[in-house]
Amino acid sequence: AAAGATGYCLPFADRLDALRAVRRYVADDEDAVLSVLTEVSPHRTAAAEIRSFLAALDGAEREILRTRPGRVPRAAVFTPSNIPLYSYALYMLVASLYTDRITFRPSSAIDSQLRRLHALLEPVHRLPVDLFELSRRKFVTGPVREADVVVFTGNYANAETVREGLAEDQLFLFFGRGINPFVIAPDADLALAARDVTRIRLHNSGQDCFGPDVVFAPQGRTEEFVGLLCAELASLRFGPNSDPAADYGPLCYDSALVNCSDYLVRHVRHIRHGGRIDLLSRRVEPTVLLWGFDDKIPLDEMFAPVFNVVAYPSARRLRERLAGPFFGERALGAMVYGTDPETVRVLAKRHHTCVNRTLLDAEDGNRPFGGFGLMANYVAYGGERRAEPLLMSQAVARSLPAAAPVAVRGE
């Protein structure tokens, strides 16, 4: 079943068996994979990542038949500093169905973990997926320069540096981060909003690009919401990543620990809950800061369990702020709880917008995801950058239509 009704065939349909073999291997022996993932993520996050990995492989064939990419000779991938298993599915395994050879370089933050995952999975799939062993500079001057498609996940400034060294006929995909505003309408179910914002902000102990960096609550109900949020956070249990019952665990990244510590020291007068940090255990207590709408709020993108709650005076003023350039440039995702269709409309112009559910609930590895902010995600080809929701196979199909002739039955 590697051909669609229109006659399109997967460029490398014979590799579907390899993906099925990997899927069976991980599903049948989750413990081997969990032991690697829980070195950098809490057990619950690691288990959720395995589910996302399996779902991405289950949807791979349907995705490629839907997006119809041509054959790509070579791809080079800068992997992200988190989700090592899920990114392995998205940028290597699924991409192998239309890419001849893929070379990837692990992020230094999880280099050891991704190497060991590759060592586990490579003997199972035996696909032309190569781990690059040398320096980042040599990766850029070697596989990246030779690639038809380059995938970069991480910092915007670093992405720009890489992109500027590419030729115009190289397709460049940038997956970054967003502010991901979480908006609470006056009629919202505050208990649901408190539970859901806790769930997404505490995913991977706060070290996830979907986590909202700001929560907007209506002035008349801000105190009620903050009370519910603080009670929710107070009930959470800290524990080692190996503990399936722990709600959150230690921060993995030194930079996240340093940045969070500095942020809380500078803005200690705004702290309403939490604020304690234990450097030896790398525990950052989930922390709530309360801000006025006219305060100068430094919305730094932090990989930490920090909640910036802002009381907004009116929907009109909130929409004006959300429609401004700061949020526009960083537009990835947004969440709205309660009934406020006009704010949803304003956000949805640039953000992937969810209503009464989180971005985690909406994410699908076989569908385009993201917003229309250049600092959040973009595709670059032919000397132009275009911010849009991204899916690797779809971007290839749209930008590299002549990569290879499409095989059609009967020809």
Side-chain angles (χ1 to χ4, degrees), residues 284-367:
V284 174
E285 188 177 14
T287 301
V288 178
L289 296 91
L290 182 60
W291 304 82
F293 193 73
D294 294 319
D295 290 337
K296 290 200 70 170
I297 310 160
L299 291 180
D300 303 328
E301 293 173 333
M302 279 189 297
F303 264 27
V306 173
F307 299 75
N308 286 300
V309 179
V310 178
Y312 66 90
S314 70
R316 179 186 60 81
R317 290 193 64 195
L318 174 61
R319 289 173 202 137
E320 287 174 355
R321 179 166 297 181
L322 293 173
F326 180 83
F327 284 94
E329 290 170 353
R330 296 161 178 81
L332 190 149
M335 292 150 280
V336 178
Y337 278 65
T339 310
D340 190 345
E342 184 59 23
T343 296
V344 171
R345 188 187 67 79
V346 168
L347 285 168
K349 287 180 179 179
R350 299 185 68 84
H351 299 74
H352 185 111
T353 305
C354 297
V355 178
N356 292 321
R357 65 173 186 157
T358 72
L359 293 170
L360 284 173
D361 301 323
E363 201 268 346
D364 178 344
N366 302 114
R367 296 280 179 177

Side-chain angles (χ1 to χ4, degrees), residues 101-404:
R101 181 166 292 276
I102 300 167
T103 306
F104 71 97
R105 186 175 187 276
S107 163
S108 59
I110 55 169
D111 180 86
S112 170
Q113 290 75 26
L114 191 48
R115 284 174 182 273
R116 286 182 2 254
L117 284 174
H118 182 59
L120 278 175
L121 302 182
E122 196 276 335
V124 180
H125 62 68
R126 298 198 174 279
L127 294 167
V129 173
D130 304 321
L131 169 65
F132 191 76
E133 301 280 358
L134 303 179
S135 69
R136 177 190 173 97
R137 183 179 63 82
K138 290 185 177 178
F139 185 56
V140 170
T141 57
V144 169
R145 185 167 291 174
E146 298 163 359
D148 303 275
V149 179
V150 178
V151 175
F152 186 98
T153 54
N155 179 276
Y156 173 77
N158 292 341
E160 288 293 88
T161 300
V162 173
R163 181 185 64 85
E164 287 166 4
L166 300 180
E168 287 196 358
D169 63 351
Q170 289 181 280
L171 177 63
F172 182 76
L173 305 181
F174 166 58
F175 296 85
R177 303 177 189 168
I179 298 297
N180 305 329
F182 190 106
V183 175
I184 300 170
D187 73 340
D189 179 339
L190 295 187
L192 173 65
R195 286 195 302 271
D196 277 8
V197 77
T198 296
R199 182 162 56 91
I200 189 167
R201 185 67 238 185
L202 267 292
H203 186 71
N204 201 20
S205 303
Q207 302 164 114
D208 189 81
C209 62
F210 283 175
D213 290 302
V214 62
V215 180
F216 289 104
Q219 274 183 358
R221 302 193 72 191
T222 300
E223 286 296 335
E224 183 185 357
F225 170 74
V226 168
L228 289 167
L229 177 59
C230 293
E232 190 77 26
L233 297 177
S235 72
L236 301 181
R237 180 169 173 268
F238 174 82
N241 284 342
S242 58
D243 183 357
D247 295 298
Y248 68 104
L251 291 195
C252 171
Y253 312 108
D254 290 344
S255 60
L257 199 58
V258 170
N259 293 341
C260 179
S261 302
D262 178 64
Y263 187 84
L264 296 184
V265 166
R266 284 187 288 123
H267 307 297
V268 64
R269 66 188 180 90
H270 289 280
I271 295 177
R272 291 289 298 270
H273 176 87
R276 284 173 283 274
I277 298 175
D278 186 317
L279 293 177
L280 291 178
S281 67
R282 305 178 73 88
R283 176 187 182 183
V284 174
E285 188 177 14
T287 301
V288 178
L289 296 91
L290 182 60
W291 304 82
F293 193 73
D294 294 319
D295 290 337
K296 290 200 70 170
I297 310 160
L299 291 180
D300 303 328
E301 293 173 333
M302 279 189 297
F303 264 27
V306 173
F307 299 75
N308 286 300
V309 179
V310 178
Y312 66 90
S314 70
R316 179 186 60 81
R317 290 193 64 195
L318 174 61
R319 289 173 202 137
E320 287 174 355
R321 179 166 297 181
L322 293 173
F326 180 83
F327 284 94
E329 290 170 353
R330 296 161 178 81
L332 190 149
M335 292 150 280
V336 178
Y337 278 65
T339 310
D340 190 345
E342 184 59 23
T343 296
V344 171
R345 188 187 67 79
V346 168
L347 285 168
K349 287 180 179 179
R350 299 185 68 84
H351 299 74
H352 185 111
T353 305
C354 297
V355 178
N356 292 321
R357 65 173 186 157
T358 72
L359 293 170
L360 284 173
D361 301 323
E363 201 268 346
D364 178 344
N366 302 114
R367 296 280 179 177
F369 204 89
F372 295 88
L374 275 174
M375 295 182 72
N377 45 248
Y378 67 72
V379 55
Y381 185 73
E384 296 182 357
R385 290 183 305 166
R386 192 171 67 250
E388 63 184 26
L390 293 182
L391 179 67
M392 187 174 172
S393 63
Q394 178 177 282
V396 166
R398 289 179 174 178
S399 298
L400 301 177

